[in-house]
Amino acid sequence: MFLSVFDVFKIGIGPSSSHTMGPMSAANRFLDLILSDDWPRPVGAHVAALQASLHGSLAFTGIGHGTGRAVILGLMGEAPNTVDPDRMDAIIEEVERTDRVTPPGHPAYYFQPKTDLIFDKKQALPGHANGMSFSALDKDGRFLLKRIYYSIGGGFVVTDTELEAMRATKDAGGGDRVPYPFATARQMLDMSHGAGLSIAQMKRANELTHTSAQALDEGIDAIWEAMNGCIDRGLKVDGIMPGGLKVKRRARAIHDRLNEEWRSNRPNPLLANDWLSVYAMAVNEENAGGGRVVTAPTNGAAGVIPATLKYFLHFHEDATKDDIREFLLTAAAIGGIIKHNASISGAEVGCQGEVGSAAAMAAAGLAAVMGGSPEQIENAAEIALEHHLGMTCDPIAGLVQVPCIERNALGAVKAVTAASLAIKGDGTHFVPLDACIETMRQTGNDMSEKYKETSTGGLAVNVVEC
């Protein structure tokens, strides 16, 4: 089982990896399909119009998550990792004004957002809660081709047939050939002992079967640069976040007060929590504003890992670039195990799969750079995930603002606490990480759809102002 660090950590835009980045990437894939030779007869030259339909969670919370905007941007050929956030509004306005999408390399296609972009709340697609379909029509309105895609969390997008193949491969225990193909935490620990390598070293060896050492290091460094840049931007901006809830950005003001306390050397027993919280909030306020973020493992949970790593660097001046790489490789290894055996999608298992997974990954990464053994790292991840079990995903008005921003701050605090507890032990503990992951999967399956990113239950319906 191999999931690259660059699959876990993807540079993109907010506010949601599954509801924004995924649909944009799906639109890109459909454009490529139009021009491909994968069909019995060429259809590209006959396509005159496009349609898109959003289902399940994408339909229920798509307005708040900017899913419709993402589809339009994707059909204009924009990709999550390259789109300019400052130009997005102008691109959307052009499509709405002309009723045309003009992706590079394609002719102009008729696409009227008000009628050709459908939020279908009645019919869910069978493969996943985040389902969508794209259709191409000729000039007489006849359907030429249609493709179903699923946004399965963290910006991952698969077709219906790819999803079936993934599940079949998982059931058969198949996957890419790598030196250390651990699919569970138990296998990870056994392989670590057998090879005499750390979790990060095994993860690095697996990555090197797909890329060069230089490309791997440069890619990881770019991930951290994007994460750190997101923190820095979030600490400099204030004002009201978009979406209609009129939620104020708070990270800048909190950061200014923390800097004053830091310079005055006044004792503050909450100092560690404050720094963790402000870093996480800075990221998620940027995410809520549609800024450049990194899935970690999702946009909704994007603040936990950067905050924890930034906190480590803040209070450990001797930290090196190699520490950053070890942190992120270790975190990616844990994230891959969770995604393989459960889910990182709020639409599938609730926020336990998003912030819970992020906290587990961050705790593991922190334990690693603090010198923890593989057993202590696994213990740190388990502690963090265990204490997010049952957490619902109930964003108010479908916006990744309340409770998401503060929830990331608390996730980072839990991650540091979990790593600290694990490092102070010898690695032995009662609940294995694999058992915790399976519990999370079962809990998600049992959880009502109201609490899985549909905004039809929980805080989303119990706050009077909404």
Side-chain angles (χ1 to χ4, degrees), residues 17-177:
S17 50
S18 59
H19 288 59
T20 310
M21 290 173 59
M24 192 184 301
S25 297
N28 293 163
R29 290 192 60 177
F30 190 68
L31 290 175
D32 292 340
L33 182 63
I34 290 174
L35 300 184
S36 74
D37 298 324
D38 293 343
W39 296 88
R41 58 188 177 87
V43 298
H46 303 285
V47 175
L50 303 178
Q51 291 181 350
S53 181
L54 305 171
H55 301 262
S57 178
L58 295 182
F60 280 103
T61 63
I63 299 297
H65 283 101
T67 307
R69 289 169 53 86
V71 168
I72 295 171
L73 290 167
L75 291 178
M76 285 289 281
E78 300 289 347
N81 62 326
T82 57
V83 63
D84 182 354
D86 294 330
R87 290 195 62 248
M88 292 192 298
D89 287 344
I91 295 171
I92 299 294
E93 289 171 3
E94 178 187 345
V95 175
E96 292 176 340
R97 177 177 54 82
T98 64
D99 291 335
R100 298 287 190 278
V101 289
T102 55
H106 292 252
Y109 300 125
Y110 181 79
F111 183 83
Q112 188 175 31
K114 290 182 179 179
T115 57
D116 293 322
L117 179 57
I118 302 165
F119 291 80
D120 188 344
K121 298 181 180 180
K122 296 181 179 179
Q123 180 183 2
L125 298 179
H128 190 278
N130 291 333
M132 70 198 102
S133 67
F134 289 85
S135 301
L137 301 83
D138 67 14
K139 60 183 178 60
D140 297 317
R142 291 175 297 199
F143 284 89
L144 296 173
L145 62 90
K146 179 179 179 179
R147 181 55 58 93
I148 293 174
Y149 297 94
Y150 294 107
S151 182
I152 60 175
F156 292 91
V157 173
V158 294
T159 65
D160 47 356
T161 54
E162 288 169 347
L163 184 61
E164 292 177 5
M166 284 173 53
R167 289 170 175 169
T169 301
K170 177 180 176 180
D171 292 340
D176 289 345
R177 292 184 177 180

Side-chain angles (χ1 to χ4, degrees), residues 110-264:
Y110 181 79
F111 183 83
Q112 188 175 31
K114 290 182 179 179
T115 57
D116 293 322
L117 179 57
I118 302 165
F119 291 80
D120 188 344
K121 298 181 180 180
K122 296 181 179 179
Q123 180 183 2
L125 298 179
H128 190 278
N130 291 333
M132 70 198 102
S133 67
F134 289 85
S135 301
L137 301 83
D138 67 14
K139 60 183 178 60
D140 297 317
R142 291 175 297 199
F143 284 89
L144 296 173
L145 62 90
K146 179 179 179 179
R147 181 55 58 93
I148 293 174
Y149 297 94
Y150 294 107
S151 182
I152 60 175
F156 292 91
V157 173
V158 294
T159 65
D160 47 356
T161 54
E162 288 169 347
L163 184 61
E164 292 177 5
M166 284 173 53
R167 289 170 175 169
T169 301
K170 177 180 176 180
D171 292 340
D176 289 345
R177 292 184 177 180
V178 292
Y180 305 101
F182 52 85
T184 66
R186 181 69 266 164
Q187 291 174 355
M188 178 183 71
L189 293 177
D190 289 344
M191 290 181 189
S192 176
H193 279 290
L197 298 175
S198 69
I199 294 171
Q201 287 170 334
M202 291 193 299
K203 181 63 177 167
R204 182 177 181 83
N206 288 346
E207 295 285 344
L208 291 178
T209 63
H210 296 265
T211 189
S212 68
Q214 180 179 350
L216 176 61
D217 288 340
E218 289 177 351
I220 295 174
D221 295 346
I223 289 169
W224 171 241
E225 182 179 349
M227 288 179 171
N228 194 43
C230 186
I231 293 174
D232 290 343
R233 290 193 305 274
L235 295 178
K236 295 174 183 176
V237 181
D238 52 21
I240 304 296
M241 287 177 283
L245 290 182
K246 299 182 179 179
V247 176
K248 293 181 180 179
R249 286 181 180 247
R250 291 179 288 164
R252 177 178 177 177
I254 295 172
H255 185 248
D256 289 345
R257 289 198 295 270
L258 285 176
N259 275 327
E260 290 178 7
E261 292 183 6
W262 187 267
R263 288 189 292 267
S264 67

Side-chain angles (χ1 to χ4, degrees), residues 312-336:
F312 169 74
L313 297 174
H314 188 141
F315 290 99
H316 293 78
E317 296 180 354
D318 57 343
T320 66
K321 189 170 289 187
D322 286 337
D323 289 324
I324 296 172
R325 295 167 182 167
E326 180 180 13
F327 185 109
L328 292 175
L329 284 168
T330 305
I334 298 301

